[in-house]
């Protein structure tokens, strides 16, 4: 089997962007961050209920889908060559670790190679269960510019249910260590809407991330076939829209958890800013776009086209600027309860 560090898996979107795979993106979406994934014969030792890479899921690791699509394997040399050819149209590269004891050492080596061969900024999506703060220092020295920490679940209770091989406290410990090493605003937390949390619980965790100096990269749950949660439905779209708007306001410093008003079901009734200002923000469409690591202009580079919904009318995280009809749709969704 082809294994890291010599080989890596590429997201299907990245494989298309680099010309390894043929295909078109719905509504001419573009991917400007190349997403890489470590790969080993023994795979990932994690047992996350929603993840396609989960150890109990049937199949060889290299054949398992992730975020509902294939992640084909290519040599690091080939990948770097393709990225160099297209560097002017790319804005970032992100390497994702898996829960495997070989991941730390290989991440340092791969990061050093990417840094020496490319001018693109490098993000790492890390696995705190394996790491100490000294490892983060080593990643930073190797050339990583930003970190992502996939906390995913909004509460300790849900984390324990859905991620039994990891611990809530360890994830937050490494998240805080990352901010101290990489700096304010340079660490993002992945959070998944729809794992059983209330809107108030999710907003509370988004505010915690912001208070610590991080930012939230938001996802809508969408079931992966063969995972433990394959029969669970995505959250109602109106729930996701309200959380998207809340995340944008909190991460932009425009509102704060204590200013929000929730109903008896802990759904958001008021976002803590004037209706006029809120309408102006909604009309930009920006809160409803993919949230992730930025490019040099501060816009999202990691657009992850259709990473949390199928292409089509049910787009959850827009991988492009919204058009007028998209904003009308979003406004109607926000009104639903």
């Amino acid at each position: 089997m082809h294994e890291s560090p010599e080989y890596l898996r590429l997201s299907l979107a990245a494989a298309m962007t680099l010309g390894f795979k043929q295909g078109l993106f719905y509504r001419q979406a573009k991917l400007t961050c190349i997403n890489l994934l470590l790969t080993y014969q023994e795979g990932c030792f994690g047992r996350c209920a929603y993840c396609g890479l989960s150890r109990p899921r049937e199949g060889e690791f290299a054949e398992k889908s992730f975020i509902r699509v294939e992640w084909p394997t290519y040599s690091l040399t080939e990948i770097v060559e393709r990225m160099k050819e297209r560097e002017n149209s790319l804005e970032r590269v992100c390497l994702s670790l898996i829960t495997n004891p070989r991941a730390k050492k290989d991440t340092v080596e791969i990061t050093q190679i990417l840094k020496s061969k490319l001018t693109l900024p490098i993000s790492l999506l890390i696995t705190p269960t394996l790491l100490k703060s000294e490892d983060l220092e080593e990643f930073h020295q190797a050339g990583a510019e930003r970190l992502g920490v996939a906390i995913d679940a909004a509460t300790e209770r849900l984390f324990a249910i859905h991620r039994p091989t990891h611990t809530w406290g360890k994830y937050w410990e490494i998240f805080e260590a990352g901010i101290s090493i990489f700096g304010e605003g340079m660490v993002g937390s992945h959070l998944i809407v729809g794992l059983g949390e209330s809107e108030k619980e999710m907003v509370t965790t988004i505010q915690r991330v912001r208070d610590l100096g991080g930012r939230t990269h938001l996802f809508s749950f969408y079931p992966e076939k063969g995972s433990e949660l394959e029969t669970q439905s995505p959250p109602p779209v109106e729930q996701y829209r309200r959380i998207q708007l809340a995340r944008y306001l909190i991460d932009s410093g425009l509102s704060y958890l204590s200013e929000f008003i929730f109903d008896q079901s802990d759904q958001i009734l008021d976002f803590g800013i004037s209706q006029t200002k809120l309408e102006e923000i909604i009309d930009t469409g920006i809160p409803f776009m993919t949230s992730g690591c930025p490019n040099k202009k501060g816009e999202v580079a990691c657009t992850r086209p259709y990473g949390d919904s199928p292409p089509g009318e049910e787009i959850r995280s827009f991988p492009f600027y919204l058009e007028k009809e998209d904003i009308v749709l979003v406004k109607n969704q926000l009104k639903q309860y």
Side-chain angles (χ1 to χ4, degrees):
M1 176 186 169
H2 295 318
E3 295 185 293
S4 298
E6 290 83 8
Y7 289 85
L8 293 165
R9 295 178 71 179
L10 273 176
S11 71
L12 179 59
M16 289 166 58
T17 299
L18 294 182
F20 287 113
K21 294 279 188 180
Q22 297 300 308
L24 297 172
F25 291 111
Y26 176 71
R27 288 181 62 176
Q28 291 76 54
K30 289 185 175 15
L31 177 73
T32 55
C33 175
I34 299 301
N35 304 106
L36 310 173
L37 179 70
L38 294 175
T39 184
Y40 304 103
Q41 183 172 354
E42 62 269 30
C44 180
F45 288 82
R47 289 198 299 113
C48 300
Y50 46 83
C51 184
L53 303 179
S54 178
R55 191 171 184 81
R57 189 185 181 205
E58 292 184 4
E60 298 293 325
F61 179 77
E63 303 301 322
K64 288 181 179 180
S65 63
F66 181 41
I67 322 176
R68 308 181 321 284
V69 296
E70 63 174 308
W71 283 61
T73 303
Y74 302 97
S75 74
L76 177 58
T77 301
E78 278 186 292
I79 292 169
V80 169
E81 287 175 356
R82 295 287 181 106
M83 283 198 286
K84 284 178 69 70
E85 292 169 3
R86 296 161 172 79
E87 204 159 0
N88 289 339
S89 62
L90 299 176
E91 296 172 343
R92 182 169 288 277
V93 56
C94 180
L95 173 63
S96 295
L97 286 70
I98 61 173
T99 307
N100 186 296
R102 296 163 61 185
K104 284 191 293 185
K105 178 178 177 295
D106 291 342
T107 295
V108 172
E109 181 177 337
I110 293 166
T111 301
Q112 290 171 333
I113 291 171
L114 294 173
K115 183 68 175 177
S116 67
K117 301 289 186 181
L118 302 165
T119 61
L120 298 171
I122 301 167
S123 296
L124 300 179
L125 181 58
I126 60 174
T127 48
T129 299
L130 300 173
L131 303 175
K132 300 177 181 177
S133 59
E134 306 91 84
D135 299 314
L136 307 188
E137 290 275 11
E138 197 169 357
F139 294 160
H140 198 213
Q141 291 170 9
E145 183 219 22
R146 288 176 180 264
L147 291 182
V149 180
I151 294 173
D152 292 347
T155 71
E156 185 172 8
R157 178 183 67 85
L158 291 170
F159 190 101
I161 291 170
H162 297 309
R163 314 196 69 187
T165 48
H166 305 292
T167 58
W168 172 260
K170 176 69 171 182
Y171 266 64
W172 286 103
E173 174 192 328
I174 292 297
F175 183 81
E176 293 187 48
I179 292 169
S180 69
I181 293 164
F182 284 76
E184 163 83 24
M186 303 302 283
V187 182
S189 171
H190 289 195
L191 292 173
I192 300 174
V193 176
L195 292 179
E197 78 290 338
S198 69
E199 291 180 20
K200 186 175 184 179
E201 286 173 330
M202 181 57 76
V203 175
T204 299
T205 301
I206 291 170
Q207 187 65 66
R208 179 179 181 180
V209 169
R210 184 68 174 85
D211 288 346
L212 290 172
R215 302 293 183 271
T216 291
H217 303 166
L218 202 64
F219 298 76
S220 177
F221 169 76
Y222 196 83
E224 180 96 54
K225 186 177 180 181
S227 70
E228 291 179 42
L229 295 185
E230 68 174 338
T231 61
Q232 181 165 312
S233 298
V237 66
E238 61 268 23
Q239 176 185 347
Y240 189 59
R241 294 289 178 238
R242 286 191 289 271
I243 297 299
Q244 283 181 303
L245 186 51
R247 180 216 62 86
Y248 179 83
L249 295 173
I250 290 171
D251 276 4
S252 300
L254 298 171
S255 190
Y256 198 87
L257 171 65
S258 59
E259 304 297 322
F260 281 63
I261 297 174
F262 301 88
D263 67 12
Q264 291 182 339
S265 300
D266 283 342
Q267 292 182 320
I268 301 167
L269 289 179
D270 191 287
F271 291 87
I273 64 172
S274 72
Q275 190 62 33
T276 300
K277 182 63 176 176
L278 189 65
E279 290 288 342
E280 290 176 0
I281 291 168
I282 293 171
D283 283 339
T284 69
I286 293 174
F288 313 103
M289 296 171 65
T290 307
S291 49
C293 292
N295 60 20
K296 292 178 181 178
K297 297 178 183 177
E299 301 168 335
V300 174
C302 188
T303 51
R304 303 186 301 273
Y306 318 112
D308 58 3
S309 64
E313 295 180 358
E314 296 299 316
I315 298 173
R316 293 295 175 105
S317 302
F318 288 84
F320 43 71
Y321 285 100
L322 281 69
E323 297 179 359
K324 288 183 179 179
E325 54 267 35
D326 298 320
I327 293 172
V328 170
L329 175 65
V330 164
K331 284 183 173 180
N332 288 331
Q333 291 168 339
L334 282 168
K335 293 176 184 175
Q336 298 171 24
Y337 278 87

